[in-house]
Amino acid sequence: SVLPALPLHSSSASSSASSSASSSALFAVDFDVAILGCGVGGHAAALHASSQGLSCAVFTAADVGGTCVNRGCVPSKALLAASGRVRDMQDADHLGMFGIKVEGGVTYEREKIAKHARDLANNVKGNLENSLKAKGVELIHGRGVLKGEGEVLDEASGRTYTAGSIILAPGSVPFVPPGVTVDEKTVYTSDGALNLDFVPEWVAIIGSGYIGLEFSDVYTALGSEVTFIEALPNLMPTFDREIAKQAERMLIRPRAIDSRLGVFASEVTPGIPGKKPCTVKMIDAKTKEHVETLEVDAVMVATGRVPNTNNMGLEDVGITTNRGFVPVNENMQVLTEEGGDVVPDVYCIGDANGKMMLAHAASAQGISAVENIVGRTHAVEHEAIPAACFTHPEIAMVGLTEEQAVERSGKEGWKLGKSQASFKANSKALAEGEGAGIAKVLFNEDTGKVVGVHIIGIHAADLIQECANAVACGTTVKELSMLVHTHPTLCEVLDEAFKGAVGMSAH
Ligand SMILES: Cc1cc2nc3c(=O)[nH]c(=O)nc-3n(C[C@H](O)[C@H](O)[C@H](O)COP(=O)(O)OP(=O)(O)OC[C@H]3O[C@@H](n4cnc5c(N)ncnc54)[C@H](O)[C@@H]3O)c2cc1C
Ligand SMILES: NC(=O)c1ccc[n+]([C@@H]2O[C@H](COP(=O)([O-])OP(=O)(O)OC[C@H]3O[C@@H](n4cnc5c(N)ncnc54)[C@H](O)[C@@H]3O)[C@@H](O)[C@H]2O)c1
């Protein structure tokens, strides 16, 4: 149900859009759309709003580009790129296979690797800012706070702006478990880790999700020993089980990594680099009894992220969050509470709504929110959004894990098919000396439609796109098996998996 509609607004700025927000001129507003937060979600929403002829302002409390550009995807991939090269050049066996020798060992300059990450982030941030200016989007350098219907206070200037529609895009911040003291120097979240202030000899990483795994790749390449501390009984608990097992074989056991499973880091105290170690007390996740205390050079806290929605005025306008996550419907419209009424003309996108904490999901939701604002009803198909973990080699996935697919097929009464192919028989992978890895395709045998794909192997993050498109378009395994894949490419691993599926499904 929808609350009584607010008066429709019209921007005082000229607007050519045939928007429901601006078509009915009852009173003038400062902007057709005001966006609170300029991460990748807010940025995509702003560009799309502008392309639809809507006047638009983006409130940016901190840096343009938000987490992804400044403290997330972009600098982490720069560290992974540099450390990945160090790993490759240290791998004498692999290089020897090509007849290459690196004499005298490989050295790296930590400061320059850190600078590469910093410079890249600044570069991308500048590009994003310029793209907004070029489209005439107004950047308001202050925190935006909801004040009432269609009103946003700029905390920096104290001025209140009016807008026809408001998009909340405040993103997320690292979650730090109770008992953990973060100084961002020796005990740090990803925010501090990305500075690469030093390369610890021994680092404990709390949490074996995306961030923990990517940083274990960086650290082991640069010479650190890593200890994972994971609350659940398995490493990488959010990944497809079979892929997590493969990852243990390929990314964990051959490296200087050990782990403590089923334990919480209950008390973590910072140290002083080179002088005093950090201490990590661990308790059993079930019994809560103390099990062990580690003394390590550094601790990375990678235990998930929480929405950055405090003090945004949400409660004042009648929005009750779910542990900070803003409740939304499939059109990104904010609800008064989980399952509650629509709050007219207010949308929430990106990490803050908790639907899928990925940069490209935030952007897709931003574009979708604007589509709904201009009156073209739209919903993002989240099960068709791919994800990747940029380890060496990469892990990528789309749709359901095998465990989820078994459960869904059982509930809905359809037969689950599974077809798997390996990188070890792929000419391109073998030419690269990278034959480790698998791709598995999960599909509905009755319809032939793909419900999930999981890949671990070289360039998995690029390979997954074809599968994401298949999920989004409802392409069947038979149709996919008839599409011609370039030879010799890594895509042929998927070709083999699609062809293998055909025997199991008539579609
Ligand atoms: C280390 C790391 C690596 C990652 N790698 C990847 C990856 O490889 N691929 C991927 O898809 N995702 C990755 N992510 C996740 C990705 O960064 C997030 O999903 C994405 O940044 C979410 O975008 P967003 O726009 O919702 O929010 P954010 O990027 O968090 O941006 C929100 C912005 O809004 C600002 N803000 C907050 N409140 C207000 C307010 N009231 N008024 C004005 N401004 C406000 C914040 O300061 C921030 O700048 C990574 C995350 C981390 C931490
Ligand atoms: N390549 C990418 O797309 C990418 C990279 C990095 C981050 N991200 C995004 O950032 C978000 C945060 O990443 P993340 O790795 O911090 O979170 P995550 O949710 O992926 O993993 C957190 C891990 O920490 C464990 N954990 C939680 N509390 C714990 C405790 N007290 N003690 C021990 N273990 C504990 C959890 O069981 C889980 O395994 C993710 O949602 C992800 O989508 C994406």
Side-chain angles (χ1 to χ4, degrees):
S1 59
V2 176
L3 288 179
L6 292 175
L8 289 170
H9 313 290
S10 143
S11 165
S12 51
S14 68
S15 164
S16 60
S18 60
S19 122
S20 62
S22 58
S23 57
S24 174
L26 293 186
F27 59 85
V29 289
D30 295 314
F31 301 101
D32 290 322
V33 184
I35 301 169
L36 277 60
C38 194
V40 284
H43 174 261
L47 289 191
H48 195 54
S50 155
S51 78
Q52 300 304 304
L54 301 177
S55 64
C56 177
V58 192
F59 290 74
T60 168
D63 22 23
V64 169
T67 306
C68 174
V69 173
N70 301 288
R71 294 169 293 281
C73 332
V74 172
S76 63
K77 265 79 256 178
L79 295 187
L80 280 156
S83 58
R85 274 173 175 73
V86 175
R87 185 189 298 287
D88 285 347
M89 293 183 67
Q90 282 173 339
D91 191 344
D93 288 347
H94 191 225
L95 291 174
M97 191 203 85
F98 300 108
I100 300 171
K101 257 190 204 161
V102 176
E103 304 283 1
V106 180
T107 58
Y108 64 83
E109 292 177 66
R110 177 196 56 77
E111 301 85 343
K112 289 198 178 160
I113 294 181
K115 184 174 180 307
H116 170 53
R118 214 168 38 244
D119 288 351
L120 180 69
N122 285 334
N123 195 355
V124 176
K125 179 169 90 171
N127 290 345
L128 253 59
E129 199 156 349
N130 289 340
S131 64
L132 291 172
K133 284 183 192 150
K135 292 279 180 193
V137 173
E138 186 151 335
L139 263 177
I140 297 176
H141 290 275
R143 262 186 97 246
V145 175
L146 283 183
K147 269 297 155 203
E149 289 168 356
E151 286 185 348
V152 184
L153 167 74
D154 167 19
E155 271 193 345
S157 69
R159 182 174 164 190
T160 296
Y161 293 87
T162 54
S165 299
I166 295 170
I167 301 178
L168 310 175
S172 65
V173 290
F175 164 66
V176 178
V180 177
T181 306
V182 164
D183 64 356
E184 291 296 0
K185 290 190 174 68
T186 55
V187 178
Y188 41 73
T189 64
S190 52
D191 290 356
L194 286 160
N195 297 331
L196 201 68
D197 286 332
F198 70 113
V199 177
E201 267 181 50
W202 184 11
V203 55
I205 301 184
I206 311 177
S208 62
Y210 282 84
I211 295 182
L213 209 62
E214 288 187 351
F215 270 89
S216 76
D217 202 273
V218 170
Y219 282 128
T220 51
L222 298 183
S224 308
E225 288 176 22
V226 170
T227 296
F228 273 123
I229 297 172
E230 171 57 55
L232 291 169
N234 296 309
L235 283 174
M236 302 170 60
T238 57
F239 288 71
D240 178 276
R241 217 45 247 124
E242 189 175 15
I243 293 293
K245 281 189 194 150
Q246 286 281 342
E248 269 198 72
R249 231 169 278 152
M250 292 161 63
L251 301 171
I252 295 183
R253 273 188 239 143
R255 299 180 179 176
I257 302 179
D258 68 355
S259 52
R260 307 287 189 276
L261 304 176
V263 292
F264 283 119
S266 58
E267 199 181 317
V268 176
T269 322
I272 302 168
K275 288 189 182 146
K276 184 175 156 240
C278 310
T279 57
V280 187
K281 279 192 192 164
M282 285 173 273
I283 54 169
D284 186 279
K286 284 196 187 122
T287 64
K288 306 285 182 273
E289 276 172 26
H290 176 252
V291 284
E292 193 182 354
T293 299
L294 292 180
E295 290 195 344
V296 291
D297 301 305
V299 181
M300 177 166 191
V301 184
T303 46
R305 296 179 63 83
V306 286
N308 188 11
T309 50
N310 285 342
N311 307 319
M312 274 187 90
L314 298 178
E315 304 75 18
D316 301 341
V317 297
I319 300 164
T320 305
T321 66
N322 178 8
R323 293 169 298 122
F325 287 109
V326 180
V328 291
N329 63 16
E330 63 167 13
N331 306 118
M332 300 296 130
Q333 290 175 294
V334 172
L335 307 176
T336 50
E337 60 188 324
E338 214 61 73
D341 297 320
V342 166
V343 180
D345 303 318
V346 185
Y347 299 76
C348 179
I349 61 164
D351 282 8
N353 67 32
K355 281 192 172 285
M356 206 174 204
M357 285 184 152
L358 293 173
H360 44 284
S363 309
Q365 292 174 2
I367 291 167
S368 187
V370 171
E371 284 292 290
N372 289 309
I373 288 170
V374 298
R376 290 190 292 267
T377 305
H378 186 267
V380 173
E381 172 53 43
H382 286 91
E383 277 186 9
I385 296 183
C389 190
F390 293 84
T391 42
H392 292 85
E394 294 166 345
I395 306 172
M397 71 241 42
V398 63
L400 307 178
T401 62
E402 191 167 338
E403 294 71 36
Q404 291 167 333
V406 167
E407 197 185 324
R408 172 103 44 108
S409 60
K411 245 188 222 158
E412 294 176 359
W414 46 269
K415 191 149 184 250
L416 177 64
K418 170 178 167 178
S419 174
Q420 198 157 301
S422 160
F423 282 68
K424 72 171 177 249
N426 178 274
S427 312
K428 184 72 189 303
L430 292 177
E432 298 285 344
E434 301 257 11
I438 57 163
K440 74 168 170 183
V441 177
L442 304 167
F443 57 98
N444 179 331
E445 282 192 16
D446 307 335
T447 62
K449 289 193 180 167
V450 179
V451 297
V453 180
H454 299 266
I455 310 172
I456 180 167
I458 177 175
H459 295 312
D462 293 293
L463 293 176
I464 201 68
Q465 193 60 48
E466 171 180 12
C467 310
N469 295 351
V471 176
C473 300
T475 321
T476 67
V477 284
K478 189 167 182 192
E479 287 164 340
L480 288 163
S481 77
M482 296 300 287
L483 299 175
V484 181
H485 291 73
T486 320
H487 177 73
T489 62
L490 300 166
C491 305
E492 289 172 299
V493 176
L494 290 169
D495 189 39
E496 193 190 325
F498 297 143
K499 286 188 164 66
V502 172
M504 292 176 246
S505 175
H507 303 279

